[in-house]
Amino acid sequence: MTIKTCHLHVPDADWSNDARSAASNWVPICAEWLAVENSDCKRNAKDIFALLCDRSILDSDAALVFQWLKGMMDRLDTTEEVIPAVEQAKYLFSAGEPIPTVEALAMGIGADGGGSLELHCAGQVDHSALDRLTGKLVVTSTSVESNALLFVRMGGMILLDVLARRASQDWQLRYCIARAVGNIALEEMCRDTIDEKWVKRLKGWAARDEVPVRYACRRALLNLEASGEDPRYLDGIFPVAGDHTNSAYDIVFVHGLRGEAFRTWTSRGKVFWPVQWVGKDFPSARIITVGFGADLLLWGGGFARSLQEQGELLRYKLALAQVGSGGRKVVFVTHSMGGLLVKQILGFDGSDSVVGHRFLPSVKGVAFLATPHLGSWLASVPAAVRSLAKTSRVVEDLSSSSPYLTVLNQQMRDAYSNCAFECLSIAEGMRTQLRHSSIKLSLTIVPPEASDPGFGVFFIEPSVDHINIPKPDTRGHPVYKALEPFIRKCLTEEQPKGLLDLTDLLDVEG
């Protein structure tokens, strides 16, 4: 079969009807060409996309960029995590046309059963929302290890360049772009496509952008420079301070339900304290924040995995980041359900046996902030309501009567008794004020009796609710006054077990 070179005439105007029509016709065709084996087809498709980019045709229409990505995703391996982001597309387009189902959207098939996805819009499209949706899909697509090379071969870096030009006023889109580039940099065969222009862009964002963008760029640059036995930082693993080659310790922050790698640990005064406080108090430590989809509801981007599956995945990611290797001591700081995930990471699986793992000997301490060791009322919501609301799978694991949580906690208790690591648990002492539209609720998310694992140091902090317990306002806040000496004793002092007590941590005269 002979493939002839095709030429696309694009008018000089940035946004004429002719240009839009040409682009909308060529985008799905080029997406198909990028997926075939014939090199001429791929080259033609990339040339056409490059022309559309040069003429800024794609810069002006988020729907065309999304359509381009959807054409690519048909050829990529996707996970259940893609579905929630794709589902949101339904709300950006008109109900006057058939709306594809979630499954059809994920497969790129229109509601009429055809082979292409038509994006119909009534009035003005929310380009910003659609751009962020596209960014989320790029991240979730490239986070699958087998996808990076295929994504690049199908013109992915051109697509990211278009998004980067559209992202000048949108830091959340820049965050997604930086994460995607960091994913692509993990594949050595793709690194040549991340040229000096991209390096300069990432360094610029890292120097002056919002906190999440800065550290997503730092991760991307570290992955780009990695060689040999250097750590690899998979998606969601953000090294925010320190260097693995010169660090004596690893301090790892793991958020919980509805949390995020940066927002969870940022005070109301906009202080990202894992870097600004912990980084300065422990300059010899490498500090890592962990991020993962953690909404309560699947349509909000929540857990497509169970608690066990998510824990196993994070264990794998932290192993590639070489947490605890080279003799480095490790301390975990966790919020809410993140504490349960850390139990999984340490090798406990909630069954009758303990899964041995190399992390455990390196761990010197685990801090639990409002962790539901013994379950949460969330799982007590009637099953019919949970089904209607599409609650994430992890909610099912949080029943207060769950034998899984009971065994998991007992395994942690046994390890605490037998190993040289310490535990600190702090419970919320205030009710959390929740508001949605006209509904106002005042709830204790994790009651003290569920926050007390029955071992280690435990106390209730009366000044914090569930949301604010990981957001101390000052270094003098009771939560940080407990955490800082806890971390210091775990990392820097060799001592018999049992000497850590509440009087030491809170600096109270006995």
Side-chain angles (χ1 to χ4, degrees):
M1 176 180 175
T2 302
I3 304 296
K4 296 183 179 179
T5 302
C6 297
H7 299 281
L8 173 65
H9 172 69
V10 180
D12 292 332
D14 282 346
W15 192 244
S16 68
N17 290 332
D18 289 341
R20 177 187 173 88
S21 176
S24 62
N25 289 330
W26 278 101
V27 163
I29 295 173
C30 290
E32 289 287 334
W33 285 359
L34 286 169
V36 302
E37 294 299 323
N38 187 286
S39 59
D40 288 330
C41 276
K42 291 180 182 292
R43 185 165 50 253
N44 286 337
K46 288 184 179 180
D47 287 346
I48 291 173
F49 275 132
L51 179 59
L52 293 173
C53 294
D54 289 342
R55 296 294 179 87
S56 300
I57 301 301
L58 294 176
D59 287 5
S60 304
D61 193 342
L64 289 178
V65 178
F66 179 83
Q67 189 177 13
W68 177 6
L69 176 62
K70 283 300 294 135
M72 296 171 65
M73 284 182 60
D74 292 345
R75 304 300 187 274
L76 298 175
D77 292 331
T78 57
T79 67
E80 288 180 326
E81 292 177 347
V82 174
I83 301 296
V86 175
E87 189 176 30
Q88 294 174 32
K90 293 190 299 183
Y91 302 104
L92 299 175
F93 301 103
S94 169
E97 298 286 345
I99 298 178
T101 64
V102 177
E103 293 77 12
L105 280 166
M107 297 299 294
I109 300 174
D112 60 356
S116 64
L117 176 64
E118 298 293 336
L119 301 183
H120 302 281
C121 57
Q124 187 69 31
V125 174
D126 185 343
H127 289 279
S128 178
L130 193 53
D131 278 338
R132 292 176 188 176
L133 171 64
T134 303
K136 288 180 181 179
L137 291 174
V138 169
V139 170
T140 52
S141 297
T142 56
S143 67
V144 179
E145 292 182 64
S146 60
N147 278 348
L149 185 58
L150 183 57
F151 180 81
V152 167
R153 286 176 174 173
M154 292 195 300
M157 295 309 296
I158 303 174
L159 172 62
L160 287 175
D161 193 54
V162 172
L163 288 174
R165 295 207 297 264
R166 294 179 57 82
S168 60
Q169 303 299 318
D170 190 340
W171 71 263
Q172 294 183 58
L173 181 55
R174 294 194 295 274
Y175 174 54
C176 291
I177 294 167
R179 284 177 62 185
V181 174
N183 295 343
I184 293 167
L186 290 164
E187 174 57 65
E188 292 188 19
M189 294 180 64
C190 296
R191 290 180 181 174
D192 288 345
T193 64
I194 306 174
D195 55 21
E196 285 302 315
K197 179 182 70 174
W198 271 106
V199 172
K200 182 179 180 181
R201 178 181 280 155
L202 291 171
K203 288 182 176 179
W205 290 352
R208 60 181 179 274
D209 217 315
E210 298 287 333
V211 164
V213 184
R214 264 186 272 161
Y215 295 115
C217 290
R218 187 176 193 266
R219 166 184 170 261
L221 292 168
L222 286 173
N223 281 342
L224 191 59
E225 296 166 359
S227 63
E229 300 300 317
D230 290 340
R232 264 57 173 181
Y233 298 105
L234 271 63
D235 189 54
I237 307 299
F238 300 96
V240 297
D243 185 296
H244 79 284
T245 58
N246 300 314
S247 299
Y249 324 116
D250 284 329
I251 304 174
V252 183
F253 290 79
V254 184
H255 67 78
L257 278 175
R258 300 201 70 192
E260 197 267 341
F262 305 100
R263 186 182 66 248
T264 292
W265 313 107
T266 300
S267 73
R268 285 173 290 186
K270 305 300 182 184
V271 174
F272 182 54
W273 59 270
V275 170
Q276 293 172 268
W277 299 347
V278 178
K280 292 178 181 178
D281 290 340
F282 301 93
S284 297
R286 177 179 62 158
I287 300 174
I288 291 173
T289 59
V290 175
F292 48 89
D295 212 310
L296 289 171
L297 306 180
L298 282 174
W299 52 260
F303 279 80
R305 297 182 176 90
S306 68
L307 186 64
Q308 298 97 313
E309 291 166 343
Q310 189 67 261
E312 290 170 5
L313 177 60
L314 291 181
R315 183 193 306 161
Y316 169 70
K317 290 183 175 183
L318 291 177
L320 287 185
Q322 298 182 14
V323 170
S325 67
R328 285 193 300 275
K329 300 176 181 179
V330 181
V331 169
F332 285 95
V333 180
T334 72
H335 176 232
S336 189
M337 194 209 62
L340 303 181
L341 287 175
V342 165
K343 293 179 183 180
Q344 287 282 334
I345 290 169
L346 296 185
F348 310 121
D349 63 356
S351 67
D352 292 334
S353 62
V354 176
V355 179
H357 195 268
R358 69 173 185 83
F359 281 138
L360 198 54
S362 302
V363 174
K364 301 304 175 184
V366 183
F368 299 102
L369 307 182
T371 290
H373 296 283
L374 304 179
S376 169
W377 59 268
L378 284 172
S380 301
V381 175
V385 176
R386 294 202 307 271
S387 176
L388 182 63
K390 297 183 181 179
T391 54
S392 54
R393 285 175 63 187
V394 74
V395 173
E396 312 298 322
D397 295 327
L398 295 180
S399 170
S400 57
S401 60
S402 168
Y404 162 74
L405 290 185
T406 301
V407 175
L408 193 66
N409 195 61
Q410 184 60 51
Q411 289 174 340
M412 187 74 174
R413 182 202 295 264
D414 293 343
Y416 169 80
S417 301
N418 298 325
C419 300
F421 70 87
E422 295 287 353
C423 290
L424 167 66
S425 297
I426 307 177
E428 62 205 65
M430 291 180 62
R431 297 169 73 87
T432 301
Q433 306 303 313
L434 301 177
R435 294 178 177 84
H436 179 72
S437 186
S438 60
I439 301 175
K440 297 181 181 180
L441 297 174
S442 178
L443 301 168
T444 299
I445 305 297
V446 180
E449 58 270 22
S451 296
D452 184 358
F455 55 88
V457 176
F458 170 77
F459 72 94
I460 302 170
E461 174 45 50
S463 68
V464 295
D465 62 18
H466 189 77
I467 293 173
N468 291 319
I469 195 170
K471 304 176 186 294
D473 287 330
T474 67
R475 287 174 175 271
H477 190 282
V479 169
Y480 193 72
K481 283 184 68 177
L483 280 174
E484 190 276 335
F486 172 79
I487 295 172
R488 189 170 301 282
K489 287 194 174 187
C490 290
L491 294 181
T492 63
E493 294 185 15
E494 296 295 335
Q495 59 182 359
K497 285 185 62 64
L499 291 187
L500 273 178
D501 59 39
L502 193 57
T503 301
D504 289 336
L505 290 177
L506 297 181
D507 195 25
V508 178
E509 294 184 2

